[in-house]
Amino acid sequence: MEFILAGNSEEFILKANPILQKNQDVYSLFIGVLEGIKSGRYENPLMAWIEEEGEVLALFQMTPPHPLNIIIVKEKRTTECIKKCVRELIKNDITINSVVALKPWSYHFADFYSDARGMSYECLMDQGIYRLDQVNETLEPSLGTWRIAEKSDTSIIEKCYNLFEEEAGLKVSSQEETKEKVALFLDNQEVFLWEVSGRIVSMMKKSRPTENGVTVSFVYTLKKERKKGYGRTMVAACSKELLNEFDFCVLYTDMVNETSNKIYQEIGYRKIADSAMLGFN
């Protein structure tokens, strides 16, 4: 069993792609980050795999300061692979602040890594991965219409982006970071807005497109506009629009938020996996 650190994204993609393409929905986050690495969006990315007799057993990816992402290819070898990874990370003096993966893999890694480092860990987010193939057409729509965000919408999107981070329990981006992120969203025409009588009440964005699917994220409704059906109608309408281009949509949900999980299921999203983001301290 050999732990191999990739020298470049092309080398890693050759090893990872055959595995990733078989499960584009479950591995959408891994695929999206890898595309970002390939395009030069991240500095000092970590890309590694465990191999035995030419067979890939596990994949590892990290773009500091973001979490380590893990894919275990051979479930029966999970413990071996994770122990090997932890030993190699420590040997190479690579520090992990957090990990995100399917729930069993996340907790398995956290147990071994925290023990080896003399640390503790906590669950930052208990997540569900949902997939949509067809929108439920029987939903009662709310008032309003959707449109693609424009640069003139920058200030409201920046405000909502920070509010979304705060409510999700994430680290709130600095003003400079927020401006850079939102500018990129707008340049790529990724943000959908829901308008009622000329005012913006909800928004969402598309991200991490794969060959067959796309991720829905940053679903946010202004507090004073909630419980009016705007968010549900927007996600349904915009997801339907995305399905004109892609075979399926994927989204990650906070399992603690029962309301949003119920809404996504009403639209037609179905849970395909459980994921967990764990932080070390």
Side-chain angles (χ1 to χ4, degrees):
M1 180 184 286
E2 185 179 7
F3 181 89
I4 303 169
L5 283 166
N8 54 64
S9 60
E10 288 76 16
E11 180 187 10
F12 187 61
I13 288 169
L14 284 174
K15 292 291 181 179
N17 248 358
I19 296 157
L20 299 176
Q21 295 309 314
K22 291 178 182 177
N23 293 285
Q24 290 184 27
D25 48 7
V26 175
Y27 299 152
S28 60
L29 175 60
F30 202 104
I31 295 170
V33 173
L34 184 54
E35 284 298 316
I37 293 173
K38 183 180 175 182
S39 66
R41 194 182 309 161
Y42 301 106
E43 294 182 6
N44 303 316
L46 178 147
M47 296 167 284
W49 70 91
I50 291 176
E51 185 175 301
E52 187 175 74
E53 297 180 353
E55 182 179 26
V56 175
L57 305 182
L59 299 169
F60 306 92
Q61 172 184 260
M62 183 173 69
T63 54
H66 303 295
L68 174 72
N69 199 332
I70 298 171
I71 293 175
I72 303 295
V73 183
K74 298 295 180 182
E75 290 279 357
K76 292 181 180 179
R77 310 289 298 277
T78 298
T79 298
E80 294 174 79
C81 289
I82 287 177
K83 283 185 175 180
K84 177 70 171 176
C85 176
V86 169
R87 287 195 300 268
E88 293 292 333
L89 290 172
I90 293 173
K91 176 183 173 182
N92 286 280
D93 197 28
I94 298 171
T95 301
I96 306 299
N97 296 317
S98 55
V99 59
V100 63
L102 296 190
K103 189 175 288 188
W105 305 341
S106 259
Y107 277 94
H108 217 124
F109 178 87
D111 285 337
F112 286 112
Y113 186 77
S114 61
D115 185 59
R117 288 288 197 183
M119 306 170 76
S120 61
Y121 68 86
E122 61 179 334
C123 182
L124 302 178
M125 191 171 293
D126 184 14
Q127 302 171 315
I129 305 176
Y130 283 75
R131 170 174 170 148
L132 175 75
D133 294 275
Q134 185 175 355
V135 172
N136 176 10
E137 300 285 359
T138 66
L139 290 174
E140 184 75 25
S142 70
L143 296 173
T145 56
W146 70 269
R147 66 174 174 84
I148 301 292
E150 301 171 352
K151 289 190 176 182
S152 58
D153 303 306
T154 296
S155 60
I156 183 67
I157 296 171
E158 290 176 349
K159 175 184 175 182
C160 289
Y161 187 81
N162 290 146
L163 289 171
F164 173 85
E165 291 178 316
E166 183 179 329
E167 291 184 29
L170 303 172
K171 179 184 176 183
V172 178
S173 302
S174 67
Q175 185 177 24
E176 183 179 349
E177 290 171 333
T178 302
K179 286 185 176 298
E180 288 179 1
K181 290 175 183 177
V182 171
L184 184 61
F185 298 163
L186 292 170
D187 286 344
N188 294 332
Q189 295 191 309
E190 294 176 339
V191 181
F192 294 83
L193 303 177
W194 191 258
E195 283 188 329
V196 178
S197 302
R199 71 182 190 278
I200 296 168
V201 297
S202 293
M203 60 187 67
M204 59 171 264
K205 73 179 290 289
K206 63 176 182 179
S207 60
R208 303 194 297 271
T210 66
E211 182 181 346
N212 298 320
V214 65
T215 298
V216 169
S217 62
F218 179 34
V219 178
Y220 188 80
T221 299
L222 293 167
K223 279 189 176 181
K224 64 181 180 180
E225 303 292 356
R226 293 176 187 175
K227 298 184 179 180
K228 301 175 184 178
Y230 297 147
R232 185 181 72 170
T233 305
M234 172 191 66
V235 173
C238 297
S239 295
K240 185 176 180 179
E241 177 69 15
L242 290 172
L243 289 176
N244 290 327
E245 182 179 355
F246 298 94
D247 293 338
F248 61 86
C249 298
V250 173
L251 59 79
Y252 278 71
T253 69
D254 182 351
M255 294 306 294
V256 174
N257 191 330
E258 295 181 2
T259 300
S260 64
N261 280 273
K262 179 175 179 289
I263 287 172
Y264 295 137
Q265 290 176 54
E266 290 172 348
I267 292 168
Y269 281 88
R270 56 186 176 84
K271 190 164 76 166
I272 56 174
D274 289 298
S275 174
M277 183 186 296
L278 309 176
F280 299 100
N281 45 53

